[in-house]
Amino acid sequence: MAVTGILLALFLIAHMLGNLKVFTGETSFDHYAHWLRDIGKPLLPGVWFLWILRAVLVVAVVAHIVSATVLARRARAARPVRYAHRKKINGSYAARTMRWGGVIILLFVIYHLLDLTTGTLNPVGNESKPYGNVVADFAPERWYVTLFYTLAIVTVGFHLRHGAFSAFRSLGQQTPRGERTARTAALIFAVLLCAGYLVVPFAVLTGLVS
Amino acid sequence: MNLTLRIWRQKGPEDKGRMVTYPVDDVSPDMSFLEMLDVLNERLILAGEDPVAFDHDCREGICGMCGLMINGDAHGPQRGTTACQLHMRQFTDGETIDIEPWRASAFPVVKDLVVNRSAFDKIIAAGGYITAPTGSAPEAHSTPVAKANADAAFESAACIGCGACVAACPNGSGMLFTAAKLTQLSLLPQGQPERYTRVIGMVDAHDEAGFGGCTNAGECTPACPKGIPLNTIGRLNRDYLAATAKGAGNTPGS
Ligand code: SF4
Ligand code: FES
């Protein structure tokens, strides 16, 4: 869980930084998006690098889901009879919503790929004009798309808040002071990442990016 | 105080079990929770009914025998307190209290509120000891131990093996117990020779017993009557990673 989670979190950081390019204007953003397809050009032909990256991500996602499923099944087997009086949450809310949160994130990622990678669900869906696709996506009259994105990103934030701390712990974070640091770092990371992802749709919604 | 109790009644391991409601009147707020159950049992016996079976021994919070899920809280609402040390003044007059046994497949119900916790013994048997014969306690200063390590080991050694961590865990994991029993040895010089075989052995025994996997959810520490800190599990994880990297099996003992 920890290793694949860290891989995916690194991707999320890179993805967020790329998104912020939207503020540098249409030409620059489109240029960046096309460059993504050409990384490693002289060395590797065309979109090779992109496909290698995609393959690594898919493997990480699948491994992450497989380990989560194993844990969930073990948890179910470990408590065959449930409590009649369900206990309240003493730990963190984020920790208790990891599984369903993960399912929501998976559904969102599928929608997101159909929307902005293949363009199937995008109102413009023009592969050569990613900037136009983004602007069309979060137009004020498509407020429900922005709402869904916001909910999904907040879910990702909760997932990361517990996930980042939990990854430190699984990889051997062991002192009480380190625990406080790890928890704070995870919280700051989750909030920054949420903010970084949410400014783009809201900038489009308010007309800052058009 | 007048209370309504809803208690899990189960005749034996094969019985399906059900929650049964009992009104209990005239409970003193100064009684312990177990004394309140004693009062109920005396009345049940007088009425010719089967008394409620529950585990207890020392009744002073040190043996780890008592263990009840009280209103969904392991050992009841007061933190750092075993069920035997919990007073009825923590409840209000007229309250309905749900009492259930620990729920875990590794802790099968024997009768009513009594569960079989020998899965914990299997974890201890897999490495929760040192094999060197130590004789009587040596002079305390003959083996220097860093203060921080001594304190952390002492904190871990406070675990009474009650099983509340498993009962409270959403995954039914016994990692807090396993980590406590591991670190009380791994932080001290006497525990070093078998340090890495111990961690593999104990974690394997934990998994084989049918406990769930730890997801760092953090429900165990608030439920633990001895407040074993969550970072204890981090110490176990670090030892486990080191042991797998080393390919443990090169040290005698287990
Ligand atoms: S770690 Fe705490 S809750 Fe778990 S068995 Fe030990 S004393 Fe009980
Ligand atoms: S009866 Fe010994 S700890 Fe409660």
Side-chain angles (χ1 to χ4, degrees), chain A residues 108 111 115 134-154 197-206:
Chain A
F108 166 73
Y111 165 71
D115 178 13
V134 170
V135 171
D137 224 3
F138 301 117
E141 57 278 10
R142 281 167 51 92
W143 55 271
Y144 48 90
V145 173
T146 314
L147 182 71
F148 179 51
Y149 263 84
T150 312
L151 288 179
I153 295 298
V154 171
Y197 273 109
L198 287 179
V199 291
V200 175
F202 280 93
V204 176
L205 193 69
T206 54

Side-chain angles (χ1 to χ4, degrees), chain A residues 48-66:
Chain A
W48 267 50
F49 178 83
L50 193 64
W51 278 107
I52 294 174
L53 191 68
R54 282 174 178 168
V56 172
L57 287 175
V58 167
V59 170
V61 168
V62 170
H64 201 67
I65 294 175
V66 168

Side-chain angles (χ1 to χ4, degrees), chain A:
Chain A
M1 294 258 63
V3 175
T4 50
I6 288 172
L7 275 180
L8 296 171
L10 290 178
F11 167 73
L12 282 179
I13 298 173
H15 186 345
M16 180 196 79
L17 293 177
N19 285 0
L20 295 179
K21 273 249 162 203
V22 91
F23 292 104
T24 58
E26 179 162 4
T27 359
S28 158
F29 184 71
D30 284 358
H31 179 256
Y32 159 74
H34 295 307
W35 167 78
L36 279 181
R37 300 182 167 269
D38 292 342
I39 317 177
K41 191 61 173 279
L43 206 61
L44 296 166
V47 288
W48 267 50
F49 178 83
L50 193 64
W51 278 107
I52 294 174
L53 191 68
R54 282 174 178 168
V56 172
L57 287 175
V58 167
V59 170
V61 168
V62 170
H64 201 67
I65 294 175
V66 168
S67 347
T69 314
V70 169
L71 277 168
R73 294 183 60 143
R74 276 185 62 190
R76 181 159 290 208
R79 177 154 306 136
V81 185
R82 312 224 154 190
Y83 289 110
H85 191 126
R86 235 177 97 89
K87 78 192 293 283
K88 56 184 183 292
I89 295 174
N90 285 323
S92 82
Y93 176 76
R96 290 299 282 265
T97 49
M98 288 305 270
R99 282 174 192 144
W100 282 110
V103 173
I104 293 174
I105 295 168
L106 178 67
L107 293 177
F108 166 73
V109 168
I110 294 172
Y111 165 71
H112 185 51
L113 290 177
L114 289 175
D115 178 13
L116 287 171
T117 305
T118 65
T120 330
L121 294 177
N122 191 277
V124 177
N126 184 341
E127 215 180 277
S128 58
K129 288 202 168 54
Y131 188 89
N133 295 344
V134 170
V135 171
D137 224 3
F138 301 117
E141 57 278 10
R142 281 167 51 92
W143 55 271
Y144 48 90
V145 173
T146 314
L147 182 71
F148 179 51
Y149 263 84
T150 312
L151 288 179
I153 295 298
V154 171
T155 315
V156 171
F158 273 104
H159 203 78
L160 281 174
R161 189 190 150 195
H162 178 69
F165 159 69
S166 189
F168 288 130
R169 175 53 47 84
S170 299
L171 296 177
Q173 183 288 312
Q174 58 173 1
T175 60
R177 246 185 67 198
E179 176 170 327
R180 282 193 294 277
T181 319
R183 281 193 194 273
T184 320
L187 180 64
I188 294 176
F189 173 58
V191 169
L192 280 184
L193 209 87
C194 270
Y197 273 109
L198 287 179
V199 291
V200 175
F202 280 93
V204 176
L205 193 69
T206 54
L208 215 62
V209 167
S210 55

Side-chain angles (χ1 to χ4, degrees), chain B residues 34 55-66 82-85 160:
Chain B
L34 300 191
D55 254 338
H56 59 104
D57 190 11
C58 69
R59 297 212 179 193
E60 53 185 19
I62 53 171
C63 73
M65 275 307 278
C66 62
T82 52
C84 58
Q85 293 272 287
I160 54 175

